[in-house]
């Protein structure tokens, strides 16, 4: 438990404010240490913070000293010199051999030692102690920095106070304070000075590390990065701001504060999740964007939760205020869709950055209530924008993710998203995370919502520096933001800004916080807001006058009033005003019901097939695994026979789209080879590491790029990422494949909140394809079902409504529904449905149950003629055998979907019922092919109709198709169920039971 704010009276003791160096001078260190320990008794940190400072990173410090000494013995302190000369230090194997040092130790002159004389051991010890102190401040100064504006949530260290640990090696007394100490190369506090008096060293360190900024960075593995940070915070004067800069901060803070005050005045009973207590976030975001724009960024994509979102839209994105105010008016929408609450909506703005005079695009991605779910979506969108701009290093496009403190540490997707940050096919080259840390999550204190000292500890796993800063110190905040933007531009890695503020009101404006946080809110009631504190400071130092402060505020209030008046004249809201990813040019001039052909010339299929079945051209030395040579040979044989199996059908779809300039991206766990070892898009040289060949990238000289990437073992973040990727450009086929379909449920909020409902809520389309391996093949409860029933249950077509029949029936259905759910039984149909994603004049997500055993099933093959010009996707595959040819003889029609078709036909063959039982495959389950089902039923007028499925009765497609069958049949005929009984689990774990169940369903279905 951490930061127990119940003990705030103790933390508010005068000791808590004392500057270490000041009090140390006044009495003996041991007495003082006892007091500090008492004061810090409320500051208990757990393992991460309590680590000894002489640990892992210390080793690199010694190495660093050693390297410096090797280069120039005078560059290190004499104590180090003496140490290295004594040969006590054994260099790690990667270090250079020791060079003879030609400079005598006595040639150094430093405080306390007489020039020319060898330093005594006390001098050496004292210098070592000073260096240890410097290092200790760097490592754990943040633990005792004054980060909390309320000074109630103080960190605690179990057993061992962090204050004590900083000064663990401290043995100096008052008499030492004026002694001069040489500064090591690992600190920049000296500026131009090579040495400083101890008193000054301590004061400077205290100011840098224990004031209003707490820098957590010494865990970073890179010495270069550590030094970079040290320099940015330690160099004297870094916190000096010019009067103009201060006025700009004041003006921005005025707007941020004024915006919330205006909303509170006009809409006092409306939820807006105000930013009061952390208003500095607005100037902070603006500073990050200013500096980043200066450094070359042209587009910023942001993801953020409810808190301060409207303020961000208004004051960071400069979304017209009247559009924001209109959202409060409860007006009808002028366009289609169900819309969303105002603090979830996105926006997209291109504007001139007035500070840098450069054009900038800002997007805030719409998001659901599900905290942090938007993080990977933002990353995917960012990555895609970088890709399309050719911004390979992320210099032009960047993302900013804003988090609440409770959600940042509580939601696992944050961790999953962090782990994408450095993966070659998922990196966005550095994200700046900003935590609006109001030290509370709804009604829960941090001590009950996390087991880590800081809410930001998750970032340590990716070596991201964490800049904690007191949100009541605007200049400290601006400095941190500047450093964060420069960090990203320099290293292209993530970093975190932890804005430690408070929440002035309840969770929302109609909530009563005193129910649960009485002491905290007593304190907040008495606490001046950041704007007033800063204005007072600037007035006191003479930077601005009181009149100026008032006039800036009045001016902004006028702007709000004018927009308010304008908003009152509006009669409708427009969802399109809140679109985060406009696809300009995509819809214009298109017939909204015309689907382009999906068949291609046979020669194209042959070309793709030949390439796909060949090793790298002109690379005889590329050693391919023997098993793969057989796979390639088998593929080649299929191409020669003009047939395709599943993998070849997929390659035909990808290859032909690439040829047409459509970028294809396939991502998911182990997708390069394919979980079932059927795909093999990436061939690995058997003797050379990282030498690979991907034939789909080499189909045509002018083709679009193909990317296939094994992902991290995450569904939530990776599916969210690919969804975000699909939002950027409609002219791309973006596919995510689950290892097995059932694993997709760990990404449920991406499916529910974004994919199935994104268009309805946010007028945002996506053509994302989810490939979900599915099939009851005796593999046990998992690895069997992709839970297609869940997807079907979320389909938005009405079971009781048979749309008007016309030539455009199929495409109109697709246009009107939220997504497509299909289970294809042939490679050709798989090929067509993938291509249709792009051929459609709009975009819809496609949920595809994909096969496992069919990947190698000898019958699951399609002739090229089913993929070439003139062919198309078949929503239903009729019975083309004896039953279909003589429908009047048919006694029973078995409708089914997916791989069970092959079992059914086998049984029918065995029972010699091919003329009496028709088997009809429903390939596109949703939107339901009412028209074709009706047509099939009419064909077999006198036959019994059944739906056969391998899933349990309460699962699979049955509950979706049953009412729709009845609608298609106009309730004049019945359709009965054949299959497994209801079940709680998806499948049995017993092979014997599986076979028994399968045989029962096949016998039931194939009987007359
Ligand atoms: C995944 C998820 N679980 C629960 C909630 C309900 N909820 C909304 S806000 C909130 C508290 C968030 O606290 P924090 O992240 O600190 O943000 P703050 O509201 O303090 O800015 C909770 C639990 C949610 N929106 N999303
Ligand atoms: Mg919070």
């Amino acid at each position: 438990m951490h930061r127990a704010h119940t003990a705030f009276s103790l933390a508010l003791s005068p000791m808590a404010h004392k500057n270490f160096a000041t009090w140390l001078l006044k009495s003996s260190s041991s007495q003082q240490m006892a007091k500090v320990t008492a004061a810090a008794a409320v500051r208990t940190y757990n393992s991460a913070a309590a680590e000894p400072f002489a640990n892992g990173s210390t080793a690199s410090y010694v190495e660093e000293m050693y390297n410096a000494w090797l280069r120039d013995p005078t560059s290190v302190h004499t104590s180090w010199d003496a140490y290295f000369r004594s040969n006590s230090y054994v260099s790690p194997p990667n270090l250079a051999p020791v060079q003879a040092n030609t400079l005598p130790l006595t040639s150094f002159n430093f405080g306390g030692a007489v020039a020319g004389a060898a330093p005594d051991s006390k001098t050496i010890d004292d210098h070592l102690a000073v260096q240890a102190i410097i290092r200790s401040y760097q490592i754990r100064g943040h633990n005792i920095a004054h980060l909390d504006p309320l000074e109630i949530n103080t960190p605690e260290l179990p057993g061992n106070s962090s204050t004590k640990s900083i000064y663990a090696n401290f043995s100096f007394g008052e008499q030492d304070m004026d002694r001069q100490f040489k500064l090591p190369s690992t600190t920049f506090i000296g500026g131009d000075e090579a040495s400083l008096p101890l008193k000054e060293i301590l004061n400077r360190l205290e100011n840098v590390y224990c004031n209003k900024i707490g820098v957590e960075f010494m865990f970073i593995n890179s010495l270069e990065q550590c030094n970079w940070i040290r320099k940015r915070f330690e160099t004297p004067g870094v916190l000096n701001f010019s009067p103009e800069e201060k006025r700009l901060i004041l003006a921005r803070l005025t707007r941020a504060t004024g915006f919330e005050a205006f909303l509170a005045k006009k809409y006092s009973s409306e939820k807006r999740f105000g930013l009061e207590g952390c208003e500095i976030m607005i100037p902070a975001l603006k500073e990050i964007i200013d500096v980043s724009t200066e450094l070359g960024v042209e587009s910023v994509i942001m993801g953020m939760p409810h808190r301060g979102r409207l303020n961000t839209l208004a004051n960071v994105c400069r979304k017209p205020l009247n559009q924001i105010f209109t959202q409060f008016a409860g007006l009808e929408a002028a366009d289609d869709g169900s819309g969303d609450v105002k603090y979830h909506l996105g926006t997209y703005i291109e504007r001139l950055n007035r500070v840098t005079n450069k054009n900038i695009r800002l997007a805030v991605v719409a998001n659901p209530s599900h905290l942090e779910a938007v993080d990977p979506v933002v990353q995917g969108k960012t990555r895609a924008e970088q890709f399309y701009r050719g911004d390979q290093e992320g210099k032009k496009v960047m993302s900013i993710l804003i988090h609440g403190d409770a959600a940042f540490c509580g939601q696992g997707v944050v961790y999953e998203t962090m782990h994408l940050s450095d993966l070659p096919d998922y990196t966005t080259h550095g994200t700046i995370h900003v935590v609006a840390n109001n030290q509370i999550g709804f009604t829960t204190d941090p001590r009950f919502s996390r087991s880590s000292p800081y809410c930001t500890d998750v970032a340590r796993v990716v070596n991201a520096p964490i800049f904690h800063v007191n949100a009541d110190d605007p200049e400290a905040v601006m400095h941190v933001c500047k450093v964060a933007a420069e960090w990203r531009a320099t290293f292209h890695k993530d970093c975190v800004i932890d804005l430690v503020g408070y929440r002035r009101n309840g969770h929302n404006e109609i909530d009563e916080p005193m129910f649960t946080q009485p002491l905290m809110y007593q304190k907040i009631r008495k606490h001046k807001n950041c704007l007033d504190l800063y204005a007072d400071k600037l007035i006191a130092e003479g930077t601005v006058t009181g009149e100026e402060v008032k006039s800036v505020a009045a001016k902004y209030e006028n702007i709000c009033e004018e927009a308010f008046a304008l908003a009152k004249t509006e009669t409708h809201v427009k969802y399109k005003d809140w679109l985060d990813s406009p696809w300009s040019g995509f819809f214009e001039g298109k017939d909204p019901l015309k689907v382009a052909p999906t068949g291609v010339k046979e020669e194209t299929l042959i070309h793709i097939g030949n390439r796909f079945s060949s090793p790298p051209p002109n690379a005889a030395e590329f050693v391919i695994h023997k098993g793969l040579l057989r796979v390639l040979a088998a593929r080649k044989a299929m191409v020669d026979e003009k047939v395709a199996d599943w993998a070849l059908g997929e390659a035909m779809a990808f290859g032909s789209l690439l040829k047409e300039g459509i970028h294809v991206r396939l991502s998911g766990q182990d997708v390069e080879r394919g979980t079932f070892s059927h795909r093999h898009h990436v061939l690995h040289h058997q003797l050379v590491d990282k030498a690979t060949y991907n034939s789909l990238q080499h189909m045509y000289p002018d083709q679009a790029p193909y990317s296939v990437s094994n992902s991290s073992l995450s569904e939530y973040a990776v599916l969210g990422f690919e969804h975000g990727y699909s939002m950027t450009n409609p002219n791309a086929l973006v596919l995510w494949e689950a290892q097995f379909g059932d694993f997709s449920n760990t990404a449920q909020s991406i499916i529910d909140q974004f994919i199935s409902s994104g268009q309805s809520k946010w007028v945002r389309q996506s053509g994302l394809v989810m490939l979900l391996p599915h099939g009851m093949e005796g593999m046990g409860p998992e690895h069997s079902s992709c839970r297609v029933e869940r997807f079907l249950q979320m389909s938005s077509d009405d079971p009781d409504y048979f749309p008007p029949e016309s030539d455009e029936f199929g495409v109109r259905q697709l246009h009107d529904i939220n997504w497509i759910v299909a289970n294809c039984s042939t490679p050709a149909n798989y090929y067509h449905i993938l291509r249709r994603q792009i051929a459609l004049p709009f975009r819809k997500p496609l949920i595809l149950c994909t096969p496992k055993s069919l990947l190698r099933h000898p019958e699951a093959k399609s002739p090229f003629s089913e993929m070439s010009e003139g062919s198309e996707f078949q929503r239903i595959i009729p019975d083309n055998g004896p039953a279909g040819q003589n429908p009047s003889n048919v006694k029973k029609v078995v409708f089914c979907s997916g791989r069970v078709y092959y079992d059914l036909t086998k049984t029918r063959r065995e029972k010699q019922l091919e003329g009496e039982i028709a088997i009809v495959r429903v390939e596109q389950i949703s939107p339901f092919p009412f028209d074709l089902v009706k047509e099939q039923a009419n064909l077999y007028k006198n036959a019994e109709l059944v739906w056969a499925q391998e899933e349990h009765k309460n699962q699979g497609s049955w509950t979706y198709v049953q009412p729709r069958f009845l609608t298609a049949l106009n309730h004049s005929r019945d359709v009965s169920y054949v299959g497994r009984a209801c079940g709680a689990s998806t499948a049995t774990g017993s092979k014997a039971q599986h076979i028994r169940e399968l045989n029962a369903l096949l016998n039931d279905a194939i009987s007359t």
Side-chain angles (χ1 to χ4, degrees):
M1 282 178 228
H2 310 285
R3 299 175 169 250
H5 72 63
T6 46
F8 73 84
S9 54
L10 182 55
L12 288 176
S13 73
M15 275 313 303
H17 300 286
K18 289 233 169 176
N19 174 304
F20 163 73
T22 323
W23 59 255
L24 186 85
L25 290 170
K26 288 184 190 142
S27 61
S28 86
S29 57
S30 59
Q31 280 169 335
Q32 287 298 345
M33 207 56 82
K35 282 196 201 165
V36 172
T37 312
V42 290
R43 300 180 155 195
T44 320
Y45 277 109
N46 75 355
S47 53
E51 70 194 92
F53 79 86
N55 68 1
S57 41
T58 306
S60 63
Y61 173 66
V62 177
E63 265 181 55
E64 184 195 342
M65 284 290 151
Y66 183 65
N67 279 328
W69 178 75
L70 284 177
R71 282 193 301 274
D72 173 9
T74 63
S75 68
V76 300
H77 182 255
T78 42
S79 53
W80 283 116
D81 180 80
Y83 175 60
F84 293 135
R85 274 162 188 281
S86 71
N87 279 343
S88 309
Y89 179 66
V90 180
S91 64
N94 58 335
L95 291 183
V98 181
Q99 304 284 319
N101 189 343
T102 50
L103 284 175
L105 183 64
T106 49
S107 66
F108 301 110
N109 187 7
F110 54 89
V114 179
D120 56 30
S121 66
K122 174 165 177 12
T123 307
I124 292 174
D125 285 350
D126 286 352
H127 270 79
L128 280 173
V130 168
Q131 293 191 15
I133 291 278
I134 293 172
R135 186 164 176 73
S136 195
Y137 266 101
Q138 292 169 339
I139 291 176
R140 55 186 71 253
H142 58 86
N143 286 335
I144 57 167
H146 298 295
L147 300 176
D148 176 12
L150 303 175
E151 295 178 310
I152 56 177
N153 280 340
T154 42
E156 297 170 18
L157 276 174
N160 178 22
S161 89
S162 40
T163 316
K164 193 171 171 184
S165 71
I166 284 198
Y167 312 117
N169 289 6
F170 202 85
S171 57
F172 297 107
E174 202 175 331
Q175 69 285 357
D176 296 308
M177 288 300 147
D178 291 327
R179 276 176 62 194
Q180 196 80 5
F181 283 86
K182 182 166 178 183
L183 297 166
S185 63
T186 49
T187 189
F188 298 84
I189 53 170
D192 296 335
E193 313 278 342
S195 63
L196 287 174
L198 178 57
K199 183 166 62 181
E200 188 58 22
I201 291 175
L202 295 174
N203 265 328
R204 290 190 187 188
L205 289 170
E206 195 73 23
N207 260 330
V208 170
Y209 289 110
C210 306
N211 204 351
K212 301 295 174 66
I213 298 174
V215 201
E216 220 187 327
F217 69 108
M218 288 290 279
F219 55 84
I220 295 175
N221 297 330
S222 156
L223 196 59
E224 183 199 358
Q225 291 170 10
C226 284
N227 272 337
W228 188 94
I229 291 173
R230 285 192 264 242
K231 191 168 184 185
R232 295 298 177 294
F233 286 95
E234 293 183 352
T235 305
V238 288
L239 278 173
N240 294 345
F241 284 76
S242 69
E244 290 69 42
E245 287 169 331
K246 292 179 182 183
R247 275 195 215 100
L248 182 64
I249 300 173
L250 184 73
R252 288 175 166 179
L253 194 51
T254 304
R255 284 176 166 251
T257 311
F259 179 80
E260 299 295 350
F262 189 80
L263 290 184
K265 186 169 79 182
K266 299 288 186 192
Y267 312 102
S268 56
S269 57
E270 280 276 337
K271 280 194 208 172
R272 68 188 145 86
F273 296 101
L275 194 54
E276 291 97 329
C278 207
E279 295 97 330
I280 198 64
M281 186 179 96
I282 300 299
L285 292 174
K286 290 178 84 82
E287 176 73 9
I288 293 170
I289 293 168
D290 285 354
V291 178
S292 301
T293 323
E294 232 9 302
L295 295 170
V297 167
E298 294 167 4
S299 173
V300 178
I301 299 165
M302 289 186 271
M304 69 179 303
H306 50 285
R307 183 81 49 215
R309 191 181 178 103
L310 297 175
N311 210 327
T312 305
L313 297 183
N315 285 315
V316 178
C317 304
R318 290 188 182 276
K319 187 166 186 64
L321 286 174
N322 57 309
Q323 281 182 15
I324 297 175
F325 296 156
T326 309
Q327 284 287 332
F328 283 85
L331 301 174
E332 289 282 350
D335 34 19
D336 288 343
S338 55
D340 202 346
V341 291
K342 48 191 164 293
Y343 38 85
H344 287 168
L345 300 173
T347 204
Y348 171 88
I349 294 233
E350 273 192 75
R351 66 169 176 82
L352 187 73
N353 182 322
R354 290 189 205 152
V355 174
T356 58
N357 226 15
K358 291 183 177 174
N359 256 332
I360 179 116
R361 281 183 184 191
L362 296 171
V364 176
V365 176
N367 62 255
S369 268
H370 291 59
L371 294 167
E372 307 291 348
V374 80
D375 298 1
V377 179
V378 168
Q379 301 300 63
K381 182 170 159 55
T382 306
R383 169 83 191 187
E385 200 171 317
Q386 289 173 347
F387 170 81
Y388 292 115
R389 280 176 179 240
D391 179 21
Q392 285 169 359
E393 292 164 82
K395 289 185 170 163
K396 294 190 174 148
V397 185
M398 72 178 278
S399 57
I400 301 178
L401 289 178
I402 299 153
H403 314 267
D405 52 315
F408 195 48
C409 59
Q411 290 293 307
V413 70
V414 173
Y415 179 87
E416 291 187 30
T417 308
M418 284 268 174
H419 266 291
L420 299 181
S421 66
D422 239 354
L423 303 182
D425 290 321
Y426 301 85
T427 179
T428 53
H429 308 283
T431 296
I432 300 185
H433 299 265
V434 179
V435 185
N437 180 355
N438 52 20
Q439 309 187 79
I440 191 164
F442 207 154
T443 67
T444 305
D445 291 337
R447 61 192 154 144
F448 297 115
S449 71
R450 63 174 186 259
S451 298
S452 59
Y454 295 109
C455 62
T456 51
D457 283 24
V458 62
R460 291 170 64 117
V461 298
V462 293
N463 270 289
I466 300 158
F467 309 120
H468 307 280
V469 58
N470 186 318
D472 263 2
D473 188 334
E475 290 170 16
V477 173
M478 291 314 119
H479 179 61
V480 154
C481 292
K482 179 167 173 275
V483 174
E486 289 172 355
W487 163 272
R488 193 222 168 244
T490 308
F491 298 110
H492 288 286
K493 287 174 65 74
D494 284 23
C495 64
V496 179
I497 298 170
D498 179 19
L499 289 177
V500 188
Y502 56 92
R503 190 187 70 195
R504 182 164 291 281
N505 304 315
H507 177 59
N508 59 55
E509 291 61 36
I510 35 189
D511 237 19
E512 172 52 88
M514 292 289 277
F515 287 152
T516 49
Q517 272 74 28
L519 300 187
M520 186 186 206
Y521 276 82
Q522 282 170 31
K523 192 88 211 291
I524 290 173
R525 300 271 181 268
K526 290 187 208 134
H527 193 78
K528 265 194 173 185
N529 78 23
C530 180
L531 174 62
D532 291 347
L533 291 171
Y534 193 53
D536 290 352
K537 175 180 178 275
L538 295 194
I539 293 168
E541 68 184 35
T543 306
V544 294
T545 63
E547 280 64 45
E548 273 177 79
V549 172
K550 279 189 203 138
S551 104
V552 175
K555 214 166 126 196
Y556 184 64
E557 190 164 351
N558 270 345
I559 294 173
C560 290
E561 285 291 359
E562 277 167 25
F564 183 73
L566 190 58
K568 278 194 152 172
T569 65
E570 300 279 353
T571 53
H572 287 85
V573 288
K574 292 189 208 91
Y575 296 144
K576 286 209 173 74
D577 285 345
W578 299 82
L579 192 58
D580 54 19
S581 314
W583 288 343
S584 41
F586 175 67
F587 298 104
E588 284 82 37
K590 274 204 174 87
D591 178 343
L593 296 177
K594 185 148 175 39
V595 190
T598 52
V600 301
K601 287 195 168 70
E602 192 180 270
E603 67 195 51
T604 304
L605 300 175
I606 293 171
H607 175 85
I608 295 167
N610 281 333
R611 280 283 162 116
F612 189 57
S613 54
S614 305
N618 312 321
E621 72 280 11
F622 192 100
V623 182
I624 300 176
H625 190 277
K626 283 206 174 66
L628 284 181
L629 286 175
R630 282 195 293 276
V631 170
L632 294 180
R635 280 178 185 165
K636 179 78 179 93
M638 279 191 284
V639 177
D640 292 343
E641 283 174 43
K642 297 190 183 171
V643 292
D645 67 358
W646 206 266
L648 196 49
E650 180 182 82
M652 298 297 188
F654 290 5
S656 55
L657 289 171
L658 294 167
K659 176 176 187 280
E660 292 159 21
I662 301 295
H663 166 44
V664 179
R665 175 180 164 100
L666 170 63
S667 147
Q669 290 152 34
D670 307 296
V671 294
E672 294 174 14
R673 187 200 75 172
T675 297
F676 312 102
S677 202
H678 70 292
R679 184 174 284 129
H680 295 295
H681 283 190
V682 182
L683 305 181
H684 290 257
H685 194 311
Q686 295 293 299
L687 305 175
V688 181
D689 188 31
K690 294 181 192 146
T692 56
Y693 173 67
N694 182 335
S695 59
L696 280 164
Q697 292 173 342
H698 304 281
M699 291 281 147
Y700 296 91
D702 53 351
Q703 70 171 73
Y706 174 57
S707 133
V708 56
S709 326
N710 289 350
S711 74
S712 66
L713 209 167
S714 148
E715 286 80 24
Y716 194 169
V718 178
L719 179 59
F721 187 98
E722 301 311 333
H723 174 70
Y725 200 98
S726 77
M727 280 157 54
T728 301
N729 184 345
N731 291 317
L733 183 70
V734 183
L735 310 97
W736 175 79
E737 182 172 72
Q739 185 113 79
F740 287 90
D742 40 4
F743 295 120
S744 68
N745 62 11
T746 71
Q748 201 63 48
S749 22
I750 298 296
I751 298 166
D752 294 354
Q753 268 59 47
F754 289 90
I755 300 175
S756 78
S757 55
Q759 181 176 356
S760 177
K761 295 193 288 191
W762 308 317
V763 244
R764 176 207 292 161
Q765 299 193 11
S766 158
L768 179 73
V769 180
M770 288 178 68
L771 301 176
L772 306 175
H774 171 83
M776 314 287 282
E777 297 176 355
M779 300 269 283
E782 283 75 49
H783 305 166
S784 291
S785 169
C786 75
R787 311 303 307 237
V788 67
E789 63 276 8
R790 301 248 180 92
F791 295 96
L792 291 170
Q793 196 235 343
M794 281 193 274
S795 281
S796 64
D797 62 339
D798 185 342
D800 304 320
Y801 176 66
F802 195 144
E805 287 176 88
S806 73
D807 290 349
E808 287 144 355
F809 185 91
V811 63
R812 200 178 280 281
Q813 271 195 311
L814 294 175
H815 178 272
D816 293 345
I817 202 166
N818 59 332
W819 62 12
I820 306 160
V821 184
N823 190 351
C824 299
S825 63
T826 68
N829 235 12
Y830 176 47
Y831 154 94
H832 280 296
I833 203 167
L834 291 180
R835 285 186 49 81
R836 193 182 70 174
Q837 283 301 93
I838 298 301
L840 287 172
F842 44 81
R843 293 291 172 259
K844 295 285 164 177
L846 170 63
I847 315 301
L848 260 185
C849 308
T850 57
K852 298 177 294 178
S853 61
L854 289 198
L855 300 174
R856 293 186 175 76
H857 196 293
E859 289 170 36
K861 288 192 177 152
S862 300
F864 280 12
S865 59
E866 290 181 10
M867 299 190 282
S868 54
E869 279 176 319
S871 62
E872 61 178 6
F873 175 69
Q874 293 181 273
R875 288 180 287 148
I876 270 190
I877 304 184
D879 192 314
N880 296 322
Q885 282 149 23
N886 280 306
S888 53
N889 292 345
V890 170
K891 297 194 176 115
K892 187 176 190 179
V893 184
V894 179
F895 288 92
C896 66
S897 191
R899 65 162 287 285
V900 75
Y901 165 79
Y902 292 93
D903 289 340
L904 289 166
T905 46
K906 181 165 171 267
T907 308
R908 182 176 62 174
R909 214 166 30 239
E910 284 163 4
K911 293 191 171 187
Q912 299 183 345
L913 289 171
E914 281 152 308
E916 288 162 68
I917 296 182
I919 304 179
V920 177
R921 286 170 272 178
V922 178
E923 302 273 307
Q924 176 181 295
I925 311 169
S926 178
F928 190 71
F930 291 100
D931 54 339
L932 301 181
V933 166
K934 177 180 153 190
E935 191 180 286
Q936 288 295 306
N938 285 345
L939 192 64
Y940 305 100
K941 276 215 160 35
N942 305 315
E944 176 195 358
L945 307 178
V946 302
W947 172 263
Q949 68 174 34
E950 54 182 356
E951 301 87 356
H952 287 281
K953 191 175 181 183
N954 57 328
Q955 301 165 22
S957 305
W958 173 238
T959 48
Y960 175 85
V961 299
Q962 185 194 24
R964 288 168 176 82
F965 261 105
L966 296 181
T967 302
L969 303 169
N970 201 18
H971 294 268
S972 60
R973 289 165 77 182
D974 208 359
V975 60
S976 49
Y977 172 80
V978 175
R980 288 178 165 89
C982 287
S985 171
T986 47
T988 172
S990 145
K991 194 90 184 165
Q993 188 177 338
H994 166 76
I995 292 169
R996 203 168 55 242
E997 288 172 0
L998 180 62
N999 287 338
L1001 100 80
L1002 293 174
N1003 279 328
D1004 274 4
I1006 308 300
S1007 60
T1008 49

